[in-house]
DNA sequence: CTGTTAGCGCGTTCAT
DNA sequence: ATGAACGCGCTAACAG
């Protein structure tokens, strides 16, 4: 046909249109075009319209690198977490994007691995872009990461858990308390040999284990043999595997507080496979209250975490922190909610 | 205590360390430090080490905006898709990140909404950063988006489906063929009244519908009343809802080819709730083969898509396209695999 | 192998 | 309300 797409593209790269191209065409100076774009109210209406028309015609697109360099303001907010792509973060990301849409900020995600080295790599990478803010899924305990966050030259919001003093700001829930509520619920339903099944023991999972353990110890029912997990990421398959292990190591186990809903779902399937009736023979409580929890059969009791709101307000906190000098709220606990469903609805 | 974190941070922003700070300290010129960092082999070993030591001591971090501006090379690859956070893209993102790790590229994700306007917004945003490449989950049909991609001044890889001529390059599978295979499988298992249950009819879903329809029409079994969907994103809950509707509108329906595994799982749950035996009374085939498909009870038949490899090789294609002038492979079909499991294992 | 010069495209500052 | 000069931090191109 015509020339290859490759050469066409290469050519285009050369004729990049700059601010002064537009200015020249419109018969004004570059700075006026710049203002017409960023601070329209500072340019007289007729001129403004004329400029915007030229911008449109020429297909001018501002160069964000140049803008960031000149203004020392990248407008970039970095969001970082291991396993950011997990189902549980979907609502979080929606919240973030919704809040960002009406601002001039932009978001960049980094789905780091769980190891410290990779997280540091990603953090440094954000820092090299003069970020306007950082959102970090507190998963820490690592002093090197803490240190980097504490010295970051921008607002930092640690999200999901608020049970400890944040480097800068934090928003989320108290995972220790949430676990207590869930565990008490299982006790109230008459379960006694209660297990905790989970995956990687990140910071939040450890907090939940603390809550779980505290409640059961108070009741004189805690048994470390009922706490099962393996390293690595959680999955439905892992839930199946853990129930298997649990029932072979402790056949009398009669309920499980699960690390998340994926695990809970796996446990449910494995119960079905083994002919264990849920909730009569075995009770299941998940965590996060993902969309499917309410639709499983039986529906899965879970702990609802306000993930959308956490994301929305995390961005909000960054905007506020950048805006005013008055020190804003540093720690926000949004609370959780135990959603009781069929998987723990044992009667008698 | 001491001063607030806010003022501390503000101070830090001022003492940003630049290349010439390091150069001064090390007693060399700025460009030499720059080279020591980017092209170490061009600097004599002793000098290089001395410089890197100073870099380390001063905590110098390169400014990517300045680098991008000066070199006209941002090294940024934009990944864009509606619903990027869905469970199905987890493996894709892993593949992308794994390939990128050994390169000097960096990834930025944009999880656009499904509407054209938002997608255009995100695309323009990428383009304003001089991207080194674009990865787009072909979901199109929209001429405005096609046009933007075609004229992008960088390599563009459309991923997931390869059933049509790409703007630039494409890698994925043929969704039409995949649907044919799945539908034939249901026929072979003896199902006759076969439904297609889905969510948003994006490009790939439409392709699958074509394949589904072609096979059933050939068998004289296609019935438009058995194609059910609603607008909006898919979910387990939607799967439940659709089975409900299906059984009330067409009580004799005996199998479903589902838009994805989420829908399939919802259908499975709803069957359980209704006391419909799977696979005897009702057969279920999903799509994607997410991790849980193999662990459900019964395990769910699904179509495995090589998502990890698609991500990995998409980045690879961008790197190759940027590297050589020889025009590389434009369209790569990675193939799919029907994974037969219990949910369609009807005997007789 | 190392340094000098020049400028990437834009926004800030200060003038008009 | 508009513009001129300058520099952000870095690297390309050339020089030595």
């Amino acid at each position: 046909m015509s020339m290859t797409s490759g050469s066409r593209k290469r050519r285009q790269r050369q004729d990049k249109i700059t601010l002064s191209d537009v200015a020249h065409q419109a018969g004004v100076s570059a700075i006026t075009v710049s203002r017409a774009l960023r601070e329209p109210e500072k340019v007289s209406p007729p001129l403004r319209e004329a400029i915007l028309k030229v911008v449109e015609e020429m297909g001018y697109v501002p160069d964000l690198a140049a803008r960031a360099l000149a203004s020392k303001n990248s407008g970039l907010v970095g969001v970082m977490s291991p396993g950011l792509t997990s189902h549980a973060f979907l609502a979080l990301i929606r919240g973030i994007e919704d809040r960002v849409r009406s601002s001039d900020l932009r978001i960049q995600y980094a789905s780091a691995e769980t190891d410290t080295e990779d997280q540091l790599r990603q953090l440094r990478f954000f820092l090299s872009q003069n970020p306007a803010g950082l959102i970090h899924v507190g998963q820490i305990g690592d002093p090197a990461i803490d240190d980097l966050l504490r010295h970051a030259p921008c607002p930092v919001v640690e999200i999901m858990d608020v049970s400890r003093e944040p480097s800068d700001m934090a928003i989320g829930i108290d995972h220790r308390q949430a676990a207590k509520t869930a565990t008490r619920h299982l006790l109230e339903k008459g379960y006694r040999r209660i297990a905790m099944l989970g995956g990687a023991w990140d910071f939040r999972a450890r907090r939940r284990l603390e809550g779980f353990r505290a409640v059961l110890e108070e009741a004189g029912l805690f048994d470390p043999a009922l706490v099962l997990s393996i390293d690595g990421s959680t999955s439905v398959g892992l839930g199946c595997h853990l129930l298997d292990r649990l029932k072979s190591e402790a056949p009398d186990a009669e309920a499980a507080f699960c690390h998340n809903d994926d695990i809970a779902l796996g446990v449910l399937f494995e119960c079905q496979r083994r002919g264990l009736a849920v909730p009569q023979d075995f009770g299941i409580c998940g965590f996060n209250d993902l969309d499917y929890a309410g639709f499983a059969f039986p529906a899965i009791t879970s702990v609802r975490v306000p993930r959308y709101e956490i994301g929305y307000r995390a961005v909000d906190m960054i905007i506020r922190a950048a805006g005013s000098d008055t020190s804003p709220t540093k720690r926000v606990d949004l609370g959780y909610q135990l959603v009781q469903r069929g998987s723990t609805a044992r009667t008698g």
Side-chain angles (χ1 to χ4, degrees), chain A residues 278-319:
Chain A
V278 175
Q280 285 72 32
D281 300 341
F282 200 86
I284 302 173
C285 179
F287 199 88
N288 276 336
D289 194 30
L290 296 191
D291 102 277
Y292 60 72
F295 294 101
F297 180 72
I300 300 172
T301 294
S302 194
V303 177
R304 180 172 297 162
V305 180
R307 301 191 301 281
Y308 177 91
E309 200 180 356
I310 289 176
Y312 194 95
R313 294 189 51 177
V315 177
D316 210 61
M317 287 166 85
I318 285 173
I319 293 172

Side-chain angles (χ1 to χ4, degrees), chain A residues 49-198:
Chain A
E49 280 183 37
I51 290 174
L52 293 181
K53 187 156 164 287
V54 176
V55 164
E56 182 74 17
E57 283 171 7
M58 301 183 72
Y60 167 73
V61 181
D63 183 318
L64 291 186
R67 184 176 277 184
L69 184 57
S71 70
K72 297 176 162 240
N73 182 352
S74 68
L76 185 131
V77 174
V79 178
M80 182 180 141
S81 161
L84 195 59
T85 50
S86 113
H87 207 142
F89 287 118
L90 179 60
L92 174 76
I93 292 176
R94 280 218 197 92
I96 289 174
E97 304 263 337
D98 279 359
R99 180 60 186 91
V100 139
R101 217 179 302 280
S102 62
S103 76
D104 52 355
L105 262 32
R106 52 202 178 102
I107 297 289
Q108 184 163 329
Y109 299 96
S111 65
E113 301 295 312
T114 43
D115 64 293
T116 299
E117 215 37 64
D118 197 52
Q119 292 205 37
L120 285 173
R121 215 187 98 246
Q122 300 273 19
L123 269 179
R124 287 205 195 88
F125 167 63
F126 277 143
L127 292 178
S128 66
Q129 297 184 76
N130 288 318
L134 244 33
I135 294 177
H136 188 260
V137 176
Q139 131 99 18
I140 344 176
D142 188 284
I145 293 176
D146 273 13
D147 199 62
L148 215 60
L149 290 180
R150 208 180 311 278
H151 294 102
C154 64
V156 175
V157 183
E158 290 167 281
I159 61 172
M160 302 320 284
D161 191 83
V162 293
S163 69
R164 54 161 221 176
E165 185 69 20
S167 308
D168 185 7
M169 297 180 283
I171 186 165
I173 69 162
D174 184 329
H175 283 72
R176 195 165 178 280
Q177 280 301 328
K180 283 189 172 185
T181 301
T183 309
R184 284 202 193 97
H185 168 68
L186 290 168
L187 281 176
E188 280 161 15
K189 287 299 178 178
Y191 300 107
R192 287 296 170 268
R193 295 284 291 159
I194 303 172
M196 183 157 176
L197 304 180

